[in-house]
Amino acid sequence: MRKLPTEKRASILSALVEGNSINATVRMCGVSKITVLRLLADAGQFCADYHDVYVRGLASKRVQADEIWAFCGCKDKAKKAGVSGHGSVWTWVAMDADSKLAISYVVGARGEEYAIAFAHDIADRVGDRIQLSTDGLNIYADAIDGAFHGEIDYAQIVKTFGQPGGTDDERRYSPAECNGCRKVVKAGEPDLDYASTSYIERQNLTMRMSIRRMTRLTNGYSKKIENHQHATSLHFFHYNFIRKHHTIKTTPAVAAGIANAPMTVLDLVKMIEAEEAKLGGRLTDYLPAAKYGADS
């Protein structure tokens, strides 16, 4: 079996987590596109499994949650017109407001099924009673009540929006302007001074800047939902365990007490290779081959 050197694998993954597209990574690292995609699949699967095992039993007190939009293959409008593609993809993310650790992430649709799965995943990963803040999405309330059985202090940040100023051309790509905000208690006794979604909304920007397929107005969008999921898992491993947060001066995993020291991308590659050695082949050899075609 032909195998890339460890350092070359680390270079490819470093390029991907720093916001480069698949094709840019191919050109920078001098490898084929299928090589990059197979490595992304290897790393994404490993990172998802690692997160599932080690990001648990957290001593979080304040948690913020939000969902961020992207698309795969085509946007919903084009899909309705008969264009093939997955359409809108939403990533649900919860983070610890103190350590900045990304506690949970779920990739899927913006519907009740995924809200329930997301809420239960958060509940499974935290220990004591937490204070949770979300936006005003109405499907959160029942999902969170079902996951925590009332043992939570929960508030929603409900914002009202209006059209941005300027001419039609000037505001075409501008977000709606926030005209007001109110905090609504949904469960327990949350401290409204700490009810906020500011940190998780800043995390949304980090995702858009670090995952090329989520950058707006480019052709680097995902073509396959599986690769979108792998890129998301790789991003959150890098964010939690490797990249030092500017505010806390270490990685979120160290700040949360689930890691002793920051890792490097080279450490990630060595862990993947150790897993491959146990299996006797690449990780993708043990997953459905149809997932890893040439499309990005």
Side-chain angles (χ1 to χ4, degrees), residues 95-171:
M95 72 179 297
D96 185 311
D98 298 306
S99 68
K100 307 301 185 290
L101 182 79
I103 295 172
S104 174
Y105 60 91
V106 173
V107 178
R110 200 188 194 202
E112 184 178 1
E113 174 187 356
Y114 287 93
I116 292 172
F118 180 54
H120 278 83
D121 194 56
I122 298 172
D124 288 344
R125 297 181 187 282
V126 297
D128 297 330
R129 188 184 183 103
I130 63 169
Q131 173 167 324
L132 178 65
S133 301
T134 72
D135 60 19
L137 185 65
N138 56 12
I139 57 178
Y140 270 123
D142 289 341
I144 289 168
D145 182 62
F148 289 89
H149 307 291
E151 296 298 317
I152 189 173
D153 300 312
Y154 171 42
Q156 285 190 336
I157 315 303
V158 182
K159 298 178 180 178
T160 56
F161 295 92
Q163 289 294 327
T167 65
D168 289 342
D169 288 340
E170 289 174 340
R171 68 191 188 200

Side-chain angles (χ1 to χ4, degrees), residues 201-215:
E201 288 172 0
R202 179 58 181 83
Q203 165 60 214
N204 289 346
L205 175 61
T206 300
M207 290 183 67
R208 293 227 183 268
M209 298 295 288
S210 302
I211 307 174
R212 183 62 174 178
R213 57 190 69 229
M214 295 190 72
T215 306

Side-chain angles (χ1 to χ4, degrees), residues 4-26:
L4 285 176
T6 301
E7 292 74 15
K8 175 67 77 172
R9 288 175 136 189
S11 296
I12 293 170
L13 293 182
S14 294
L16 293 176
V17 296
E18 293 297 342
N20 290 282
S21 67
I22 296 295
N23 288 332
T25 302
V26 166

Side-chain angles (χ1 to χ4, degrees), residues 239-254:
Y239 172 83
N240 280 338
F241 294 95
I242 297 176
R243 177 177 173 175
K244 290 184 179 180
H245 196 282
H246 289 173
T247 301
I248 60 178
K249 309 304 181 185
T250 187
T251 63
V254 172

Side-chain angles (χ1 to χ4, degrees), residues 1-293:
M1 178 183 69
R2 297 179 62 185
K3 180 179 175 182
L4 285 176
T6 301
E7 292 74 15
K8 175 67 77 172
R9 288 175 136 189
S11 296
I12 293 170
L13 293 182
S14 294
L16 293 176
V17 296
E18 293 297 342
N20 290 282
S21 67
I22 296 295
N23 288 332
T25 302
V26 166
R27 293 190 295 269
M28 291 168 61
C29 298
V31 294
S32 71
K33 185 174 181 179
I34 193 65
T35 296
V36 174
L37 290 174
R38 284 180 65 87
L39 180 57
L40 172 63
D42 280 335
Q45 185 64 46
F46 178 86
C47 291
D49 292 343
Y50 194 95
H51 181 96
D52 190 50
V53 171
Y54 290 100
V55 184
R56 292 189 179 276
L58 304 174
S60 301
K61 299 300 182 183
R62 296 183 294 132
V63 176
Q64 298 181 11
D66 197 12
E67 63 287 344
I68 180 173
W69 173 86
F71 70 95
C72 179
C74 70
K75 295 182 179 178
D76 289 339
K77 184 177 180 180
K79 185 178 179 181
K80 291 176 182 178
V83 178
S84 62
H86 190 280
S88 291
V89 178
W90 291 85
T91 303
W92 306 69
V93 185
M95 72 179 297
D96 185 311
D98 298 306
S99 68
K100 307 301 185 290
L101 182 79
I103 295 172
S104 174
Y105 60 91
V106 173
V107 178
R110 200 188 194 202
E112 184 178 1
E113 174 187 356
Y114 287 93
I116 292 172
F118 180 54
H120 278 83
D121 194 56
I122 298 172
D124 288 344
R125 297 181 187 282
V126 297
D128 297 330
R129 188 184 183 103
I130 63 169
Q131 173 167 324
L132 178 65
S133 301
T134 72
D135 60 19
L137 185 65
N138 56 12
I139 57 178
Y140 270 123
D142 289 341
I144 289 168
D145 182 62
F148 289 89
H149 307 291
E151 296 298 317
I152 189 173
D153 300 312
Y154 171 42
Q156 285 190 336
I157 315 303
V158 182
K159 298 178 180 178
T160 56
F161 295 92
Q163 289 294 327
T167 65
D168 289 342
D169 288 340
E170 289 174 340
R171 68 191 188 200
R172 182 176 181 184
Y173 297 115
S174 300
E177 292 182 353
C178 182
N179 295 330
C181 176
R182 58 191 176 91
K183 300 178 180 181
V184 180
V185 175
K186 304 298 287 188
E189 299 179 353
D191 185 341
L192 295 184
D193 288 340
Y194 291 103
S196 171
T197 54
S198 297
Y199 292 137
I200 190 63
E201 288 172 0
R202 179 58 181 83
Q203 165 60 214
N204 289 346
L205 175 61
T206 300
M207 290 183 67
R208 293 227 183 268
M209 298 295 288
S210 302
I211 307 174
R212 183 62 174 178
R213 57 190 69 229
M214 295 190 72
T215 306
R216 296 185 185 274
L217 303 178
T218 74
N219 61 357
Y221 58 87
S222 295
K223 315 306 186 296
K224 285 192 173 183
I225 187 62
E226 293 84 4
N227 290 331
H228 189 92
Q229 293 169 327
H230 291 316
T232 302
S233 296
L234 175 61
H235 163 77
F236 280 113
F237 183 96
H238 183 262
Y239 172 83
N240 280 338
F241 294 95
I242 297 176
R243 177 177 173 175
K244 290 184 179 180
H245 196 282
H246 289 173
T247 301
I248 60 178
K249 309 304 181 185
T250 187
T251 63
V254 172
I258 60 173
N260 295 323
M263 295 184 188
T264 66
V265 178
L266 196 60
D267 292 330
L268 169 60
V269 173
K270 289 178 179 178
M271 288 191 292
I272 294 171
E273 290 179 339
E275 193 66 22
E276 290 174 342
K278 293 179 184 178
L279 295 174
R282 300 181 68 170
L283 300 185
T284 48
D285 293 337
Y286 296 87
L287 296 169
K291 289 186 177 182
Y292 313 110

